[in-house]
Structures are given as structure tokens and as C-alpha cells.
């Protein structure tokens, strides 16, 4: 054949070039020959197979995109804002989409001091969030009253009006602490909690 003579292009044979060249699976039970298949043992040799339940799949998806309600009560809220900025970047975990409406939020981050005057409003916002929903008590004030312990004006822990899933300690907690709390919440959601 002369050097400048072109080799005629061969059309792709799907059976031979694609199906027959799939990698052989390492999963037990999937690589055995199927006598009823026209190409025994080949169509079952596909590594892109995952077994799970629907509830596990839904919980996994929920745990990867909890949307927080966008509101803050006191100084802890500044740390919460910092956690969503570029340096700490909660977007890495799908948690940066702060919603302005409780009807679009999954997670209430109680960031700051809860006064008795604010408590009924906080409870109403919680009730307006759709199920399933979760609550993080961020900082000492939200968790137990903090430095306003025994104050006539301050709620002694937000768990007296809404169920709390994760407590984040500190006054204020750093953004890393809130990230740790969000990751713990993610584990809990993934387990169906
Ligand atoms: S825990 Fe500390 S930083 Fe957070 S709201 Fe209370 S006083 Fe402010």
C-alpha cells in the first residue's frame, strides 16, 4: 500500500466495539454468565450499579442540600454570615442558599440571643417551615441564655420553644464551629434523623 493511500474508515460496530469492551465487574454475583442472554455474561458486567432503598436515597439527597432560613438575632449572626462567605464557604456542602421565606427553608439556625419578646415570632417562623425541618442552636445565648442567664428578658435556651437538633457552643462560635455543626446535622439527616 502506498504511503499516501488512505485506509478506508471502518464503521463502529456497537456490539463489538462498545459492549464487548466493557470492564469486567468485580462485584460478586454480577459477572456470572447468563445462559438466556444472547451475549452471556456481558450485559450483566456493568460496574455502574448501586443498590439502596428509596428512603436512603432521599435522606442522602436531603443531607446534601439543607437550605437555612436567613435571619439572625444578635452578634452570633455575624459569624453565621462569615461562614457563608468565600473564606469558609458553606457552598462546598450545598448549605449556602439562605432563604428569605421560612416556607423555602429546611434549617433554622438560631444565631443569637432570643428574648421573650422575640420567642413567639421565632416559634411562628418555625411552624411556617415545611417538614422535614431541623434547628441549630448557635452560641451560648441560643443554647442556654449564655451571658444573659437568669435575665428577666431572655429565653433560657431556645429548646424551650422549638426542638433543637444540634448545639454549637461558644460566645461567639467561630465560623468553623458552625461548619462543624452543619456537618453533624448532615450526618443526622443522612441517617434519617
Ligand atoms: S453567644 Fe455571645 S456572641 Fe452569640 S449572641 Fe450571645 S453574646 Fe452574642
Amino acid at each position: 500500500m502506498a504511503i499516501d493511500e488512505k485506509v478506508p474508515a471502518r464503521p463502529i460496530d456497537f456490539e463489538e466495539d462498545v459492549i464487548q469492551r466493557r470492564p469486567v465487574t468485580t462485584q460478586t454475583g454480577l459477572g456470572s454468565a447468563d445462559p438466556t442472554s444472547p451475549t452471556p455474561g456481558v450485559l450483566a458486567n456493568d460496574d455502574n450499579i448501586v443498590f439502596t432503598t428509596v428512603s436512603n436515597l432521599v435522606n442522602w439527597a436531603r443531607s446534601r442540600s439543607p437550605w437555612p432560613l436567613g435571619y439572625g438575632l444578635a452578634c452570633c449572626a455575624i459569624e453565621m454570615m462569615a461562614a457563608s462567605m468565600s473564606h469558609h464557604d458553606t457552598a462546598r456542602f450545598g448549605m449556602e442558599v439562605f432563604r428569605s421565606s421560612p416556607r423555602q427553608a429546611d434549617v433554622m439556625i438560631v444565631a443569637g440571643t432570643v428574648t421573650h419578646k422575640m420567642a413567639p415570632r421565632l416559634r411562628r417562623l418555625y411552624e411556617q417551615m415545611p417538614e422535614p425541618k431541623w434547628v441549630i442552636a448557635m452560641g451560648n445565648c441560643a443554647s442556654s441564655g449564655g451571658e444573659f442567664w437568669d435575665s428577666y428578658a431572655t429565653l433560657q435556651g431556645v429548646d424551650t420553644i422549638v426542638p433543637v437538633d444540634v448545639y454549637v457552643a461558644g460566645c461567639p462560635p467561630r465560623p468553623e464551629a458552625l461548619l462543624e455543626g452543619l456537618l453533624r446535622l448532615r450526618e443526622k439527616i443522612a441517617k434519617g434523623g
Side-chain angles (χ1 to χ4, degrees):
M1 181 184 296
I3 291 178
D4 58 350
E5 190 176 339
K6 292 185 177 174
V7 178
R10 182 175 74 83
I12 292 178
D13 182 328
F14 186 77
E15 181 69 27
E16 181 180 333
D17 296 340
V18 179
I19 293 182
Q20 297 285 358
R21 296 190 182 185
R22 285 184 184 180
V24 175
T25 183
T26 55
Q27 297 180 39
T28 309
L30 293 179
S32 59
D34 179 2
T36 62
S37 169
T39 51
V42 172
L43 293 179
N45 290 345
D46 194 336
D47 283 333
N48 298 322
I49 296 176
V50 173
F51 292 99
T52 186
T53 61
V54 173
S55 60
N56 278 347
L57 187 63
V58 169
N59 288 336
W60 175 84
R62 281 177 177 153
S63 71
R64 264 56 185 174
S65 59
W67 290 359
L69 179 61
Y71 87 121
L73 296 171
C75 12
C76 274
I78 305 301
E79 302 295 322
M80 180 178 70
M81 292 177 216
S84 64
M85 297 295 163
S86 57
H87 188 72
H88 300 285
D89 197 12
T90 48
R92 293 176 291 161
F93 311 106
M95 301 169 178
E96 85 287 10
V97 190
F98 279 84
R99 307 310 298 167
S100 300
S101 166
R103 302 186 198 284
Q104 300 170 348
D106 308 307
V107 183
M108 171 181 274
I109 303 175
V110 184
T113 319
V114 185
T115 60
H116 287 299
K117 192 173 182 180
M118 186 64 185
R121 282 80 179 174
L122 190 148
R123 176 71 198 186
R124 180 179 298 176
L125 287 171
Y126 176 79
E127 288 173 355
Q128 288 177 338
M129 291 168 63
E131 294 282 356
K133 53 193 171 187
W134 300 275
V135 176
I136 294 178
M138 179 183 181
N140 295 352
C141 282
S143 300
S144 64
E147 66 176 277
F148 304 105
W149 184 82
D150 214 18
S151 160
Y152 70 93
T154 305
L155 200 68
Q156 302 300 291
V158 74
D159 59 348
T160 56
I161 54 170
V162 292
V164 174
D165 297 280
V166 175
Y167 294 88
V168 179
C171 178
R174 281 191 51 84
E176 293 93 331
L178 179 59
L179 276 180
E180 176 71 16
L182 286 167
L183 293 177
R184 293 296 174 95
L185 180 65
R186 184 161 84 159
E187 289 174 16
K188 184 174 182 178
I189 297 172
K191 291 176 184 170

